[in-house]
Structure formats: C-alpha cells, structure tokens
Amino acid sequence: MIKIPKAEFAARIEKLKALMRENDMQACLIYGDEYRKENLRYMSNYWPLFERGAVMVSMTGEPFVIAAPEGEMFCREMSAWPDVRLLPEFACVTVPDKIEYPQAHYTSLTEICKGLQESGPLQRLGIVGIDAMPEPLMKIIGDSFAGIELVDAGELLFQLRMTKTANEVACLQEAARIADAGYKLMIEQVKPGMTELELASLAYGECIRQGAENVPFCLLTSGDRVNTIIGRASGKVIEDGDMIMAAIAVQVEGYVATLNFPFVAGQMREEQKKFIDILVEAEDAALSRIKAGAGQSEVVRAVKACFKDRNVTEYDLYPPLHGCGLAEAESPYPDENTEAKFVAGMTVNTDVSLFGHPHGSNRIEESLLVTEDGYESMSKLVRHLSRTWKETATISVD
C-alpha cells in the first residue's frame, strides 16, 4: 500500500525547523480543516473531518497535533505524531452552537503557550494557514499568545511543498492511475439518453472501487452547459452530438491528480474535431516547453501563440499551467511574465482550455512530473488519447 512513511514526516519537520531558525521563529502552528487540509496533512498526515486541526512545531521536542473531541480517535489513527491535544475551539466548523463533549479532556491555547515557553523564550510564533483560518479563532490565538509576535509563515510551507519526493510522486501516480480508470469508463459507456449524473456516477464508483481515498470532484457538463467553464453534473439528458467536458480529480494519501480530455456522446461533428485539434496542438506546445531549468512563462507564451495562430485568443480565459500535489491546484500558477523556472521534482498540471468557442468549450489537463530532460505524464490515458487523436482523429481508449 502506498503511504508516506513516518521518517518522511520527521524529515519535513527538520526542514521546517531549519527555515524557522532562519526566520527567527521559536515555534510554528500549522492550521488546517476539512476544506484546507494541505499544510496540516503535509506536516502531520492528519486530515480533519468537519472539524479543525493544527500541528505545533517547536525548536525542541516532537510536534504535537491539536484536534477536536469528536475526531480524536480518527486523529490518533491518522497522525504521524502520537501527542494529540484537544481544543473546544476546534469543534465542528459548520455550526455556531457550542457543542458539549462531557468526556473530552481539553487543553487551552493559553496552556499550550505556557508549555512552549518552558523550553525557552518564545518571541515569534509563525502561523501557517492564516488565509484559511476564521477571524474569531485568529483573535483567540492572539489573545492566548499575548506579547508574542505572530507572523505569517505560509511561505515556509510553500518552499517545502514545491518539489516532491519519490513517495509523494508515487501517491500522485497512483491517483492518476485511478483517475484514468474512472475517466476511461465514462468514455466507453457514454451514450445519448443518459443523464450527466448517471455518467459521472460511473467515474465516481470506479475510482472508489480502485482505491481512491477521495474524489474531490468530477466536473461534468454537456451540450450548451460546457460554457459554464466548471460545473457539477446535473439531471440534464445527454443528447446525440453533445460535447462532454469532464474533469476528474482523485486523491490518494492526500495527493490529488487530475485529468480532462474532450469527448462526444454519439456522432462527432467536423467542427468539434477542429476544436479538439486546437486543444491537442496547444497541449503539445505546452509540453514541449516543460523541463528543469526552463522558464515557466514559456509554457504560457507557447499556448497563447498557438491560440493566436488559430484565431481563438478571445476564448483563452486563464493560464494553461498550475502546480499540483496536496491540492488539485497549488503554486506555481505562472503567467507569461513570471520569471520562475521549472525545477526537477516539481509536479504540475497542464490546463489548456478554450471557453465560449462556437463549437464547444473544453480543456486538456494532466498531471506531470518535471524532470531534468522534460516531463513524465502521470496519465497514461491522456497520453493515449492524444496520440490516437493525432493518428486517427477519434476518441479511442483501445
């Protein structure tokens, strides 16, 4: 079974401590919840279920995890760190009511602050996840750590998460394999008369059967609904000749791989073929610019140049590349002016798209590993679909 080993979490902590030392931070609190899990899971493996969580890292001793009482056992089951402490402020995120847990053994942020100070002066506390944290909770932290400078430490986790280890890549590759299986089933079984929900359910079910930890989304629209850019499957009946825009994201051990390739229910029209041709050509242009040391802006420029040559610039709505990992979309998200370069070990998604075009809206998306010589696609299906399209102008999974 693919997992991130305990030793790798320990290595992450040591790397974070080195960055904390450089930034004169004596401790760092990494916040997360069900909806913004990435940094918390990266440092602790804990992914809260409708509650809040955090991991506290100090310059001395092992980290400890902060959780809520209902999810305590779940936290202990997942966490890379055995020390788990409970806070009432971390209970269910969706209700304003105060929930009583009579058997919970709570600590407090004030007690946590005192404990940290026992091992030395605490002058600066880094906080990761300020952008995801509710304002009342941030105020409680400020009051509990009165007299201590609170600083946004989000950039530290950005640095740590930018490149991936072999274990992280293995998780993404497994997620891509599962996503391929779900998407392949949709292409094989799509037919006029079924609803979008029926089609999406095939992918959801297959991905869970294949071992997905979670399916963060399966976007699916058809016919005129493809112009919504992103959309959930609905009860709309798919008609003959409807273009399908489906994007499926699969999560394995926290890591999310995504794929999208246009296909049509029933008979494909010539103008739809020409539209898909443009996307395949632009995707190839993007891929040809990806390798360690190359400028990320070159990918954006190459796609824009391709769209300009095909007179479709007005339908190009956003940059064609973004990072992937513990979030479906994470940094980097380059535009044509960025000076950043690709680094071996980065993982990114192409997201080559046109929206509002008279003959359809769609995208081609796949998760990639940046290498010294170029890239490795994690989706065998997207590579197969692209290759067979260029050879036969058909969508074939055989």
Side-chain angles (χ1 to χ4, degrees):
M1 183 177 179
I2 296 172
K3 294 186 77 69
I4 304 296
K6 172 69 181 291
E8 190 155 316
F9 285 103
R12 293 171 182 178
I13 293 295
E14 292 308 310
K15 290 177 181 178
L16 176 59
K17 286 182 179 181
L19 292 174
M20 289 163 56
R21 194 174 294 111
E22 291 174 12
N23 289 272
D24 192 28
M25 298 176 192
Q26 293 76 46
C28 189
L29 183 145
I30 298 97
Y31 172 82
D33 54 37
E34 181 175 3
Y35 312 102
R36 293 293 302 276
K37 67 185 188 309
E38 301 87 10
N39 291 321
L40 174 58
R41 189 147 194 199
Y42 185 78
M43 299 309 300
S44 70
N45 198 42
Y46 178 42
W47 173 26
L49 185 65
F50 62 74
E51 297 176 322
R52 299 184 173 95
V55 58
M56 182 69 80
V57 179
S58 67
M59 295 304 297
T60 59
E62 278 203 344
F64 59 86
V65 177
I66 306 170
E70 195 165 349
E72 179 183 0
M73 291 300 103
F74 178 50
C75 176
R76 292 186 184 280
E77 181 182 63
M78 290 193 72
S79 175
W81 311 108
D83 188 351
V84 175
R85 308 180 191 185
L86 305 183
L87 281 180
E89 294 88 355
F90 276 24
C92 185
V93 302
T94 57
V95 297
D97 310 78
K98 182 178 180 181
I99 304 173
E100 297 294 337
Y101 293 98
Q103 299 192 36
H105 298 286
Y106 287 124
T107 185
S108 69
L109 286 165
T110 301
E111 287 300 313
I112 287 172
C113 180
K114 289 179 181 177
L116 292 172
Q117 290 173 317
E118 289 175 359
S119 58
L122 178 57
Q123 298 171 324
R124 300 183 88 218
L125 172 68
I127 299 180
V128 177
I130 290 176
D131 59 328
M133 190 181 296
E135 186 175 346
L137 179 57
M138 189 64 199
K139 184 179 185 307
I140 292 170
I141 294 173
D143 292 342
S144 301
F145 287 80
I148 295 165
E149 183 183 2
L150 306 183
V151 294
D152 188 344
E155 176 66 20
L156 306 189
L157 267 291
F158 168 77
Q159 293 179 47
L160 292 178
R161 289 172 51 200
M162 180 58 72
T163 58
K164 308 299 190 289
T165 65
N167 289 314
E168 292 177 286
V169 171
C171 291
L172 284 165
Q173 289 171 332
E174 177 65 2
R177 180 196 69 78
I178 295 170
D180 280 357
Y183 209 89
K184 180 174 181 285
L185 193 61
M186 288 196 295
I187 294 175
E188 290 174 334
Q189 298 199 20
V190 65
K191 60 184 178 182
M194 69 192 316
T195 67
E196 293 172 350
L197 283 166
E198 288 174 318
L199 183 59
S201 72
L202 298 176
Y204 271 108
E206 182 64 14
C207 290
I208 296 300
R209 190 185 73 81
Q210 294 265 349
E213 175 184 62
N214 186 37
V215 179
F217 61 76
C218 179
L219 308 180
L220 197 148
T221 55
S222 64
D224 291 341
R225 288 195 71 231
V226 298
N227 290 323
T228 59
I229 304 180
I230 60 172
R232 303 182 193 277
S234 73
K236 176 191 174 297
V237 175
I238 297 170
E239 300 179 12
D240 185 50
D242 273 357
M243 178 172 281
I244 309 295
M245 181 166 63
I248 188 163
V250 169
Q251 178 176 308
V252 169
E253 290 298 301
Y255 291 83
V256 182
T258 309
L259 75 90
N260 187 160
F261 199 94
F263 61 103
V264 173
Q267 187 67 34
M268 184 182 295
R269 300 187 296 275
E270 284 301 313
E271 57 266 29
Q272 291 172 326
K273 291 183 179 181
K274 292 177 182 178
F275 174 80
I276 295 173
D277 274 340
I278 298 172
L279 289 178
V280 171
E281 180 183 337
E283 165 87 347
D284 284 349
L287 294 174
S288 70
R289 268 70 172 185
I290 297 176
K291 74 172 187 176
Q296 296 173 17
S297 62
E298 292 303 310
V299 170
V300 184
R301 291 172 183 169
V303 172
K304 288 184 176 296
C306 179
F307 286 161
K308 183 177 180 180
D309 289 344
R310 300 296 290 268
N311 297 314
V312 294
T313 297
E314 64 183 294
Y315 310 112
D316 174 21
L317 302 188
Y318 56 78
L321 186 86
H322 59 75
C324 68
L326 284 164
E328 189 277 332
E330 61 183 37
S331 295
Y333 213 132
D335 59 23
E336 56 192 320
N337 299 312
T338 185
E339 297 180 0
K341 296 186 181 300
F342 289 109
V343 177
M346 290 177 62
T347 51
V348 297
N349 281 5
T350 54
D351 193 350
V352 177
S353 59
L354 293 170
F355 295 104
H357 188 278
H359 304 312
S361 295
N362 227 303
R363 62 168 67 83
I364 297 177
E365 184 167 8
E366 60 185 309
S367 298
L368 310 164
L369 170 66
V370 178
T371 67
E372 293 290 351
D373 300 322
Y375 67 90
E376 294 176 11
S377 176
M378 299 186 200
S379 173
K380 293 181 180 179
L381 179 63
V382 172
R383 288 296 89 222
H384 171 80
L385 291 171
S386 180
R387 183 173 59 253
T388 56
W389 178 263
K390 286 180 283 189
E391 293 172 351
T392 66
T394 60
I395 303 297
S396 172
V397 295
D398 298 324

